[in-house]
Amino acid sequence: MTITITPAASERMRQFLAGTPEAAGVRFGVKRTGCSGFGYVVDLADALGSDDQLVNVDGVPLIVDAKSLALVDGTVIDFQRQGLNASFVFHNPNATGECGCGESFTVG
């Protein structure tokens, strides 16, 4: 499994982890949502689950559950600021389409 985190995303994740030192890492995965099928999940994880895979990406402990592995393999996670808005942005080679608002994606 390969996931890339840009320097901006890495810095943001490190800030989250520094504020919650008891966190096991950053959870990255997908859930069924939106009009296209899947939405991304980025959150702090309290602990590793039995089906989780822990990957150290540029010093950031990234936790991915088994159901999400194939859907996020190859994804580049970025963090962008536009005016007052800031968010993680995902470049996923597995996504074959997105909804109009960009909140969810489909896979082929």
Side-chain angles (χ1 to χ4, degrees):
M1 178 184 67
T2 302
I3 296 175
T4 304
I5 302 175
T6 66
S10 178
E11 176 61 29
R12 185 65 174 152
M13 289 179 184
R14 289 175 204 274
Q15 290 172 355
F16 283 134
L17 289 167
T20 311
E22 67 275 7
V26 176
R27 179 167 300 285
F28 175 56
V30 297
K31 65 178 180 178
R32 288 211 168 269
T33 188
C35 51
S36 286
F38 295 100
Y40 295 101
V41 175
V42 177
D43 203 356
L44 293 177
D46 295 330
L48 287 172
S50 61
D51 68 341
D52 287 340
Q53 182 170 344
L54 175 63
V55 181
N56 189 323
V57 182
D58 297 327
V60 175
L62 202 61
I63 299 169
V64 182
D65 66 90
K67 292 178 183 176
S68 297
L69 285 174
L71 298 173
V72 298
D73 188 27
T75 299
V76 176
I77 305 172
D78 194 7
F79 184 76
Q80 296 180 352
R81 294 183 186 277
Q82 293 180 338
L84 297 176
N85 298 318
S87 63
F88 287 103
V89 178
F90 309 95
H91 305 282
N92 186 342
N94 303 302
T96 57
E98 291 183 346
C99 67
C101 63
E103 291 295 316
S104 60
F105 68 97
T106 57
V107 293

